[in-house]
Amino acid sequence: MDISTATKREEAAHTLPVYPQLDFVPVSGDGSWLTDADGRRVLDMYGGHAVAALGYNHPALLDAVDKQIRTLPFQSNIVANPVRAKAAALLTAFAGEPFSHAFFVNSGAEANENALRIAFLQTGGKHVVAVEHGFHGRTAAASAVTWGAKEKWYGFPNAPFDVTFVKRNRCDAIASAFREDTAAVIVEPVQGVAGAKDLCPTYLKKLAERAKQVGALFIADEVQSGMGRSGLPFAISHSGVTPDIITAAKSLGGGVACGAVITTAEIAAQRRFGDLGTTFGGGPVAAAAMTAVVETINKEGLVANAAAREAQVRESCVVGPIESVQGKGLLLGLRCKGPARAVRDALLRKNILTGLSGDPNIVRLLPPLNLDPEDVAHLADALADIPDGTC
Ligand code: PLP
């Protein structure tokens, strides 16, 4: 038995059987490339669900985490910390005006859970508007606003509050979805898990207008689309809407678990001691990682690189089994002429790792933000070599 198969079996023997796993077991990475124990090298066009913002082995992230773990690996929010202070200042500056305050957590779901809690505390509302096909995480509140969770995997006996799902990109459905007691509307500006589906700017503007009318907060869930991945710091800016809250995670730590709720001074001023809390959120190692990620995105021009690589994918990858490209920046969906699974599997046989989505015809790309042009060319060549018949 090869080492990768043995590893899969060992893991399956002692972990819950909730993940179907690929026939590739990476043990190290460098740049955008992964290597398994037998020396097989695979181009990572999926980035661990959009986490590996800087790829693997980036010296800035390695140095920051290494230095922090040796000096002060952990202290909670009971004491101030210079690394946390720096991460908050950098992240809010990255988000731009009017954002000035952050609350740090450990994951995307936890960021959304706290964003919703802020909206309920601030408005006194009891209801949330979410968008059909949106995904917001697996905790009780985050999955209550996730399309289809109730039918498929919600698992809890009740949702914690009322939710109305509004049809995607249907402006005429917006007005009636809101109530006088709506606390928030939560939106992924580009729906990631759904298959890199863009929400149209007019639709997002109308959602924001209606939210304002009833006094609800607009939450942009940028857990997947944020941190420059869309070709702008946060994808909501493509629509011209300024949200009240942005949530971030995944790419934010470049591989170190973390998340953030980013908001304005006005909203921050209404929170009191004890309203929100976490042990690990904003810990020194996570803060050092966030700092390194934001500094590197700025220094290496990775927001612009995401936009440039998108253009390259659009120009070169509509070949072989691919009929069109959707999404923004490096959150892209390759629409296949047939089932995406067959294309994903064919690409992996050619040593390129990609992902699937809720749409059975979409292969999803979430590569590192510092992806090289040669790697996109490599993907295009591999796709051209896959016969349409694969699908
Ligand atoms: N929100 C969006 C848009 C996501 O794509 C995800 C995860 O895929 C989440 C929230 C949940 O993030 P996490 O898995 O870190 O809890």
Side-chain angles (χ1 to χ4, degrees), residues 110-165:
E110 201 187 343
N112 287 330
E113 197 91 1
N114 280 286
L116 290 165
R117 178 179 278 124
I118 290 171
F120 284 117
L121 288 171
Q122 171 149 336
T123 63
K126 294 192 164 20
H127 169 252
V128 174
V129 174
V131 179
E132 287 189 0
H133 305 283
F135 182 90
H136 301 289
R138 296 267 184 167
T139 55
S143 47
V145 292
T146 289
W147 173 250
K150 194 164 157 239
E151 294 72 25
K152 291 190 203 136
W153 47 258
Y154 187 69
F156 301 114
N158 299 301
F161 43 78
D162 294 346
V163 181
T164 300
F165 287 94

Short mmCIF file of all heavy atoms in Angstrom, two decimals, residues 110-165:
data_model
loop_
_atom_site.label_atom_id
_atom_site.label_comp_id
_atom_site.label_asym_id
_atom_site.label_seq_id
_atom_site.Cartn_x
_atom_site.Cartn_y
_atom_site.Cartn_z
N GLU A 110 -18.06 31.70 12.92
CA GLU A 110 -18.07 32.47 14.16
C GLU A 110 -18.13 33.98 13.88
O GLU A 110 -18.77 34.74 14.62
CB GLU A 110 -16.83 32.12 14.98
CG GLU A 110 -16.96 32.43 16.46
CD GLU A 110 -15.64 32.21 17.21
OE1 GLU A 110 -14.73 31.53 16.69
OE2 GLU A 110 -15.54 32.75 18.32
N ALA A 111 -17.49 34.39 12.80
CA ALA A 111 -17.57 35.81 12.41
C ALA A 111 -19.02 36.17 12.07
O ALA A 111 -19.55 37.20 12.53
CB ALA A 111 -16.65 36.09 11.23
N ASN A 112 -19.68 35.32 11.29
CA ASN A 112 -21.08 35.61 10.92
C ASN A 112 -22.00 35.53 12.13
O ASN A 112 -22.93 36.34 12.27
CB ASN A 112 -21.54 34.63 9.84
CG ASN A 112 -20.91 34.96 8.50
OD1 ASN A 112 -20.61 36.12 8.23
ND2 ASN A 112 -20.69 33.96 7.67
N GLU A 113 -21.76 34.56 13.01
CA GLU A 113 -22.56 34.41 14.23
C GLU A 113 -22.51 35.74 15.03
O GLU A 113 -23.52 36.25 15.48
CB GLU A 113 -21.96 33.26 15.06
CG GLU A 113 -22.85 32.70 16.13
CD GLU A 113 -23.72 31.53 15.65
OE1 GLU A 113 -23.63 31.12 14.49
OE2 GLU A 113 -24.52 31.06 16.47
N ASN A 114 -21.31 36.30 15.16
CA ASN A 114 -21.15 37.54 15.93
C ASN A 114 -21.67 38.76 15.19
O ASN A 114 -22.19 39.69 15.81
CB ASN A 114 -19.69 37.71 16.35
CG ASN A 114 -19.37 36.85 17.55
OD1 ASN A 114 -19.78 37.15 18.67
ND2 ASN A 114 -18.70 35.73 17.32
N ALA A 115 -21.55 38.76 13.87
CA ALA A 115 -22.10 39.88 13.09
C ALA A 115 -23.62 39.91 13.28
O ALA A 115 -24.22 40.98 13.48
CB ALA A 115 -21.75 39.71 11.62
N LEU A 116 -24.24 38.74 13.23
CA LEU A 116 -25.70 38.68 13.43
C LEU A 116 -26.06 39.09 14.86
O LEU A 116 -27.03 39.83 15.08
CB LEU A 116 -26.21 37.25 13.15
CG LEU A 116 -26.15 36.84 11.66
CD1 LEU A 116 -26.31 35.33 11.50
CD2 LEU A 116 -27.23 37.58 10.85
N ARG A 117 -25.26 38.65 15.82
CA ARG A 117 -25.54 39.03 17.22
C ARG A 117 -25.48 40.55 17.37
O ARG A 117 -26.33 41.16 18.01
CB ARG A 117 -24.53 38.36 18.16
CG ARG A 117 -24.75 38.75 19.61
CD ARG A 117 -23.77 38.06 20.54
NE ARG A 117 -24.21 36.71 20.87
CZ ARG A 117 -23.48 35.61 20.66
NH1 ARG A 117 -22.28 35.70 20.14
NH2 ARG A 117 -23.95 34.43 21.00
N ILE A 118 -24.49 41.17 16.74
CA ILE A 118 -24.38 42.64 16.80
C ILE A 118 -25.65 43.27 16.22
O ILE A 118 -26.20 44.22 16.79
CB ILE A 118 -23.12 43.13 16.04
CG1 ILE A 118 -21.85 42.73 16.80
CG2 ILE A 118 -23.15 44.65 15.82
CD1 ILE A 118 -20.55 42.96 16.03
N ALA A 119 -26.12 42.72 15.11
CA ALA A 119 -27.32 43.29 14.46
C ALA A 119 -28.54 43.16 15.38
O ALA A 119 -29.34 44.10 15.50
CB ALA A 119 -27.56 42.61 13.13
N PHE A 120 -28.70 42.01 16.02
CA PHE A 120 -29.84 41.83 16.94
C PHE A 120 -29.72 42.77 18.13
O PHE A 120 -30.70 43.40 18.55
CB PHE A 120 -29.94 40.38 17.42
CG PHE A 120 -30.48 39.44 16.37
CD1 PHE A 120 -29.72 38.40 15.88
CD2 PHE A 120 -31.77 39.60 15.87
CE1 PHE A 120 -30.21 37.54 14.90
CE2 PHE A 120 -32.28 38.74 14.90
CZ PHE A 120 -31.49 37.71 14.42
N LEU A 121 -28.51 42.86 18.70
CA LEU A 121 -28.32 43.74 19.87
C LEU A 121 -28.62 45.19 19.50
O LEU A 121 -29.25 45.92 20.26
CB LEU A 121 -26.87 43.63 20.38
CG LEU A 121 -26.49 42.33 21.09
CD1 LEU A 121 -24.98 42.28 21.35
CD2 LEU A 121 -27.26 42.19 22.41
N GLN A 122 -28.16 45.59 18.34
CA GLN A 122 -28.28 47.00 17.96
C GLN A 122 -29.71 47.38 17.58
O GLN A 122 -30.17 48.48 17.89
CB GLN A 122 -27.35 47.30 16.79
CG GLN A 122 -27.61 48.67 16.22
CD GLN A 122 -26.37 49.30 15.64
OE1 GLN A 122 -25.26 48.95 16.01
NE2 GLN A 122 -26.56 50.24 14.75
N THR A 123 -30.41 46.48 16.88
CA THR A 123 -31.71 46.87 16.34
C THR A 123 -32.88 46.39 17.19
O THR A 123 -34.00 46.89 17.03
CB THR A 123 -31.91 46.26 14.93
OG1 THR A 123 -31.92 44.83 15.06
CG2 THR A 123 -30.81 46.68 13.97
N GLY A 124 -32.65 45.39 18.02
CA GLY A 124 -33.76 44.79 18.77
C GLY A 124 -34.66 43.95 17.87
O GLY A 124 -35.74 43.52 18.28
N GLY A 125 -34.23 43.69 16.64
CA GLY A 125 -35.04 42.92 15.68
C GLY A 125 -35.09 41.43 16.01
O GLY A 125 -34.43 40.97 16.96
N LYS A 126 -35.87 40.70 15.21
CA LYS A 126 -36.06 39.27 15.47
C LYS A 126 -35.93 38.45 14.20
O LYS A 126 -36.19 37.24 14.21
CB LYS A 126 -37.47 39.04 16.05
CG LYS A 126 -37.68 39.65 17.41
CD LYS A 126 -38.96 39.13 18.02
CE LYS A 126 -39.09 39.36 19.50
NZ LYS A 126 -38.26 40.39 20.11
N HIS A 127 -35.57 39.09 13.11
CA HIS A 127 -35.69 38.45 11.80
C HIS A 127 -34.49 38.82 10.92
O HIS A 127 -33.95 39.93 11.06
CB HIS A 127 -37.00 38.96 11.16
CG HIS A 127 -37.18 38.64 9.72
ND1 HIS A 127 -37.08 39.60 8.72
CD2 HIS A 127 -37.49 37.48 9.10
CE1 HIS A 127 -37.33 39.03 7.54
NE2 HIS A 127 -37.58 37.74 7.75
N VAL A 128 -34.10 37.90 10.04
CA VAL A 128 -32.97 38.16 9.14
C VAL A 128 -33.38 37.82 7.70
O VAL A 128 -34.10 36.85 7.46
CB VAL A 128 -31.74 37.31 9.54
CG1 VAL A 128 -30.60 37.46 8.53
CG2 VAL A 128 -31.24 37.72 10.93
N VAL A 129 -32.90 38.63 6.77
CA VAL A 129 -33.07 38.32 5.34
C VAL A 129 -31.75 37.75 4.83
O VAL A 129 -30.67 38.31 5.09
CB VAL A 129 -33.43 39.59 4.54
CG1 VAL A 129 -33.45 39.29 3.03
CG2 VAL A 129 -34.79 40.13 4.99
N ALA A 130 -31.83 36.63 4.14
CA ALA A 130 -30.64 36.02 3.52
C ALA A 130 -30.99 35.74 2.07
O ALA A 130 -32.15 35.85 1.67
CB ALA A 130 -30.26 34.75 4.25
N VAL A 131 -29.98 35.37 1.28
CA VAL A 131 -30.20 35.19 -0.15
C VAL A 131 -30.20 33.70 -0.50
O VAL A 131 -29.35 32.94 0.00
CB VAL A 131 -29.10 35.93 -0.96
CG1 VAL A 131 -29.30 35.73 -2.46
CG2 VAL A 131 -29.12 37.42 -0.62
N GLU A 132 -31.11 33.31 -1.34
CA GLU A 132 -31.15 31.91 -1.78
C GLU A 132 -29.79 31.51 -2.35
O GLU A 132 -29.15 32.29 -3.05
CB GLU A 132 -32.24 31.71 -2.86
CG GLU A 132 -33.64 31.76 -2.28
CD GLU A 132 -34.71 31.35 -3.30
OE1 GLU A 132 -34.37 31.02 -4.45
OE2 GLU A 132 -35.90 31.38 -2.91
N HIS A 133 -29.37 30.31 -2.03
CA HIS A 133 -28.10 29.71 -2.46
C HIS A 133 -26.88 30.24 -1.71
O HIS A 133 -25.75 29.86 -2.02
CB HIS A 133 -27.87 29.85 -3.97
CG HIS A 133 -29.01 29.29 -4.77
ND1 HIS A 133 -29.19 27.95 -4.97
CD2 HIS A 133 -30.07 29.90 -5.37
CE1 HIS A 133 -30.29 27.75 -5.66
NE2 HIS A 133 -30.86 28.92 -5.91
N GLY A 134 -27.09 31.12 -0.70
CA GLY A 134 -25.96 31.62 0.07
C GLY A 134 -25.47 30.59 1.08
O GLY A 134 -26.25 29.75 1.55
N PHE A 135 -24.19 30.67 1.42
CA PHE A 135 -23.60 29.79 2.46
C PHE A 135 -22.91 30.69 3.48
O PHE A 135 -22.11 31.56 3.12
CB PHE A 135 -22.58 28.83 1.84
CG PHE A 135 -22.00 27.88 2.86
CD1 PHE A 135 -22.59 26.65 3.11
CD2 PHE A 135 -20.86 28.22 3.60
CE1 PHE A 135 -22.08 25.77 4.07
CE2 PHE A 135 -20.34 27.36 4.56
CZ PHE A 135 -20.95 26.13 4.78
N HIS A 136 -23.18 30.45 4.78
CA HIS A 136 -22.60 31.32 5.80
C HIS A 136 -21.96 30.56 6.95
O HIS A 136 -21.53 31.18 7.93
CB HIS A 136 -23.66 32.29 6.32
CG HIS A 136 -24.24 33.15 5.24
ND1 HIS A 136 -23.52 34.15 4.62
CD2 HIS A 136 -25.45 33.12 4.60
CE1 HIS A 136 -24.27 34.71 3.67
NE2 HIS A 136 -25.43 34.11 3.63
N GLY A 137 -21.93 29.22 6.89
CA GLY A 137 -21.22 28.47 7.93
C GLY A 137 -22.11 27.47 8.64
O GLY A 137 -23.31 27.36 8.35
N ARG A 138 -21.51 26.76 9.60
CA ARG A 138 -22.15 25.57 10.18
C ARG A 138 -22.61 25.74 11.62
O ARG A 138 -23.12 24.78 12.21
CB ARG A 138 -21.15 24.41 10.13
CG ARG A 138 -20.78 23.99 8.71
CD ARG A 138 -21.66 22.89 8.24
NE ARG A 138 -21.30 22.39 6.93
CZ ARG A 138 -21.77 21.26 6.42
NH1 ARG A 138 -22.60 20.53 7.11
NH2 ARG A 138 -21.42 20.88 5.22
N THR A 139 -22.39 26.89 12.25
CA THR A 139 -22.90 27.09 13.61
C THR A 139 -24.40 27.38 13.54
O THR A 139 -24.96 27.56 12.45
CB THR A 139 -22.17 28.25 14.30
OG1 THR A 139 -22.31 29.39 13.46
CG2 THR A 139 -20.69 27.94 14.52
N ALA A 140 -25.06 27.45 14.72
CA ALA A 140 -26.53 27.50 14.72
C ALA A 140 -27.09 28.70 13.94
O ALA A 140 -27.96 28.55 13.09
CB ALA A 140 -27.05 27.52 16.15
N ALA A 141 -26.55 29.89 14.22
CA ALA A 141 -27.09 31.08 13.54
C ALA A 141 -26.61 31.14 12.09
O ALA A 141 -27.38 31.46 11.18
CB ALA A 141 -26.69 32.34 14.29
N ALA A 142 -25.32 30.84 11.87
CA ALA A 142 -24.78 30.92 10.51
C ALA A 142 -25.47 29.93 9.59
O ALA A 142 -25.75 30.22 8.42
CB ALA A 142 -23.27 30.68 10.52
N SER A 143 -25.80 28.75 10.10
CA SER A 143 -26.47 27.79 9.21
C SER A 143 -27.96 28.09 9.09
O SER A 143 -28.58 27.68 8.10
CB SER A 143 -26.20 26.34 9.62
OG SER A 143 -26.37 26.14 10.97
N ALA A 144 -28.52 28.83 10.05
CA ALA A 144 -29.93 29.23 9.90
C ALA A 144 -30.11 30.16 8.70
O ALA A 144 -31.18 30.20 8.10
CB ALA A 144 -30.42 29.92 11.17
N VAL A 145 -29.05 30.92 8.35
CA VAL A 145 -29.15 31.82 7.20
C VAL A 145 -28.52 31.22 5.95
O VAL A 145 -28.35 31.91 4.93
CB VAL A 145 -28.54 33.22 7.52
CG1 VAL A 145 -29.40 33.95 8.55
CG2 VAL A 145 -27.10 33.12 8.01
N THR A 146 -28.16 29.95 6.03
CA THR A 146 -27.58 29.25 4.88
C THR A 146 -28.67 28.51 4.11
O THR A 146 -29.42 27.72 4.69
CB THR A 146 -26.48 28.27 5.37
OG1 THR A 146 -25.36 29.04 5.81
CG2 THR A 146 -26.04 27.31 4.27
N TRP A 147 -28.72 28.78 2.82
CA TRP A 147 -29.76 28.21 1.96
C TRP A 147 -29.64 26.68 1.91
O TRP A 147 -28.55 26.14 1.66
CB TRP A 147 -29.62 28.80 0.55
CG TRP A 147 -30.51 28.18 -0.49
CD1 TRP A 147 -30.12 27.38 -1.53
CD2 TRP A 147 -31.93 28.33 -0.60
NE1 TRP A 147 -31.21 27.03 -2.28
CE2 TRP A 147 -32.34 27.60 -1.74
CE3 TRP A 147 -32.88 29.02 0.15
CZ2 TRP A 147 -33.66 27.53 -2.14
CZ3 TRP A 147 -34.21 28.95 -0.24
CH2 TRP A 147 -34.58 28.21 -1.37
N GLY A 148 -30.77 26.00 2.17
CA GLY A 148 -30.79 24.54 2.03
C GLY A 148 -30.29 23.77 3.23
O GLY A 148 -30.42 22.55 3.29
N ALA A 149 -29.71 24.47 4.24
CA ALA A 149 -29.15 23.75 5.40
C ALA A 149 -30.24 22.97 6.12
O ALA A 149 -30.04 21.81 6.51
CB ALA A 149 -28.48 24.75 6.34
N LYS A 150 -31.39 23.62 6.30
CA LYS A 150 -32.47 23.01 7.06
C LYS A 150 -32.85 21.65 6.45
O LYS A 150 -33.00 20.66 7.17
CB LYS A 150 -33.67 23.95 7.04
CG LYS A 150 -34.74 23.61 8.04
CD LYS A 150 -35.67 24.81 8.23
CE LYS A 150 -37.02 24.34 8.73
NZ LYS A 150 -38.11 24.72 7.83
N GLU A 151 -32.95 21.61 5.16
CA GLU A 151 -33.36 20.37 4.49
C GLU A 151 -32.22 19.35 4.48
O GLU A 151 -32.47 18.15 4.52
CB GLU A 151 -33.77 20.64 3.04
CG GLU A 151 -35.02 21.51 2.87
CD GLU A 151 -34.80 22.98 3.22
OE1 GLU A 151 -33.66 23.46 3.15
OE2 GLU A 151 -35.79 23.65 3.62
N LYS A 152 -30.97 19.83 4.43
CA LYS A 152 -29.86 18.88 4.19
C LYS A 152 -29.12 18.49 5.45
O LYS A 152 -28.84 17.32 5.68
CB LYS A 152 -28.89 19.49 3.19
CG LYS A 152 -29.47 19.61 1.78
CD LYS A 152 -28.39 19.98 0.77
CE LYS A 152 -28.98 20.63 -0.46
NZ LYS A 152 -28.24 21.80 -0.90
N TRP A 153 -28.68 19.45 6.29
CA TRP A 153 -27.78 19.06 7.37
C TRP A 153 -27.89 19.93 8.62
O TRP A 153 -27.03 19.86 9.50
CB TRP A 153 -26.32 19.07 6.89
CG TRP A 153 -25.91 20.31 6.12
CD1 TRP A 153 -25.79 20.42 4.77
CD2 TRP A 153 -25.60 21.62 6.64
NE1 TRP A 153 -25.41 21.69 4.41
CE2 TRP A 153 -25.29 22.45 5.54
CE3 TRP A 153 -25.53 22.17 7.93
CZ2 TRP A 153 -24.93 23.79 5.68
CZ3 TRP A 153 -25.18 23.50 8.07
CH2 TRP A 153 -24.89 24.30 6.96
N TYR A 154 -28.93 20.77 8.76
CA TYR A 154 -28.96 21.71 9.89
C TYR A 154 -28.81 20.98 11.23
O TYR A 154 -27.98 21.33 12.07
CB TYR A 154 -30.25 22.54 9.85
CG TYR A 154 -30.24 23.65 10.89
CD1 TYR A 154 -29.39 24.73 10.75
CD2 TYR A 154 -31.08 23.60 12.00
CE1 TYR A 154 -29.36 25.74 11.70
CE2 TYR A 154 -31.06 24.61 12.95
CZ TYR A 154 -30.19 25.67 12.79
OH TYR A 154 -30.15 26.65 13.74
N GLY A 155 -29.62 19.97 11.43
CA GLY A 155 -29.41 19.09 12.59
C GLY A 155 -30.01 19.57 13.90
O GLY A 155 -30.42 18.75 14.72
N PHE A 156 -30.07 20.88 14.13
CA PHE A 156 -30.67 21.37 15.38
C PHE A 156 -32.19 21.32 15.26
O PHE A 156 -32.73 21.45 14.16
CB PHE A 156 -30.24 22.82 15.65
CG PHE A 156 -28.76 23.02 15.76
CD1 PHE A 156 -28.06 23.76 14.82
CD2 PHE A 156 -28.04 22.46 16.82
CE1 PHE A 156 -26.69 23.95 14.92
CE2 PHE A 156 -26.67 22.65 16.93
CZ PHE A 156 -25.99 23.39 15.98
N PRO A 157 -32.89 21.15 16.40
CA PRO A 157 -34.35 21.04 16.31
C PRO A 157 -35.04 22.32 15.81
O PRO A 157 -36.06 22.25 15.14
CB PRO A 157 -34.79 20.71 17.74
CG PRO A 157 -33.61 20.87 18.60
CD PRO A 157 -32.38 20.91 17.75
N ASN A 158 -34.48 23.49 16.15
CA ASN A 158 -35.11 24.76 15.74
C ASN A 158 -34.05 25.76 15.29
O ASN A 158 -32.92 25.70 15.76
CB ASN A 158 -35.85 25.40 16.93
CG ASN A 158 -36.95 24.51 17.43
OD1 ASN A 158 -37.86 24.15 16.68
ND2 ASN A 158 -36.85 24.11 18.68
N ALA A 159 -34.47 26.69 14.43
CA ALA A 159 -33.59 27.81 14.10
C ALA A 159 -33.71 28.84 15.22
O ALA A 159 -34.76 28.97 15.84
CB ALA A 159 -34.00 28.42 12.77
N PRO A 160 -32.64 29.60 15.50
CA PRO A 160 -32.69 30.56 16.63
C PRO A 160 -33.50 31.83 16.36
O PRO A 160 -33.77 32.59 17.28
CB PRO A 160 -31.22 30.89 16.89
CG PRO A 160 -30.50 30.53 15.64
CD PRO A 160 -31.30 29.49 14.93
N PHE A 161 -33.85 32.10 15.10
CA PHE A 161 -34.64 33.31 14.77
C PHE A 161 -35.30 33.09 13.41
O PHE A 161 -34.97 32.13 12.70
CB PHE A 161 -33.75 34.56 14.74
CG PHE A 161 -32.43 34.34 14.03
CD1 PHE A 161 -32.35 34.32 12.65
CD2 PHE A 161 -31.26 34.12 14.76
CE1 PHE A 161 -31.15 34.08 12.00
CE2 PHE A 161 -30.05 33.87 14.11
CZ PHE A 161 -30.00 33.86 12.74
N ASP A 162 -36.20 33.98 13.04
CA ASP A 162 -36.90 33.85 11.75
C ASP A 162 -35.98 34.31 10.61
O ASP A 162 -35.26 35.31 10.76
CB ASP A 162 -38.13 34.77 11.70
CG ASP A 162 -39.19 34.34 12.69
OD1 ASP A 162 -39.09 33.21 13.21
OD2 ASP A 162 -40.10 35.15 12.94
N VAL A 163 -36.05 33.60 9.51
CA VAL A 163 -35.25 33.96 8.34
C VAL A 163 -36.14 33.94 7.10
O VAL A 163 -36.95 33.03 6.93
CB VAL A 163 -34.10 32.93 8.11
CG1 VAL A 163 -33.25 33.33 6.90
CG2 VAL A 163 -33.23 32.81 9.35
N THR A 164 -35.99 34.95 6.24
CA THR A 164 -36.63 34.91 4.92
C THR A 164 -35.54 34.88 3.87
O THR A 164 -34.62 35.71 3.89
CB THR A 164 -37.50 36.17 4.70
OG1 THR A 164 -38.50 36.20 5.71
CG2 THR A 164 -38.18 36.14 3.32
N PHE A 165 -35.61 33.89 3.00
CA PHE A 165 -34.65 33.82 1.89
C PHE A 165 -35.24 34.54 0.68
O PHE A 165 -36.35 34.24 0.26
CB PHE A 165 -34.34 32.36 1.54
CG PHE A 165 -33.48 31.69 2.58
CD1 PHE A 165 -34.06 30.95 3.60
CD2 PHE A 165 -32.10 31.82 2.55
CE1 PHE A 165 -33.28 30.36 4.58
CE2 PHE A 165 -31.31 31.21 3.53
CZ PHE A 165 -31.91 30.48 4.54
#
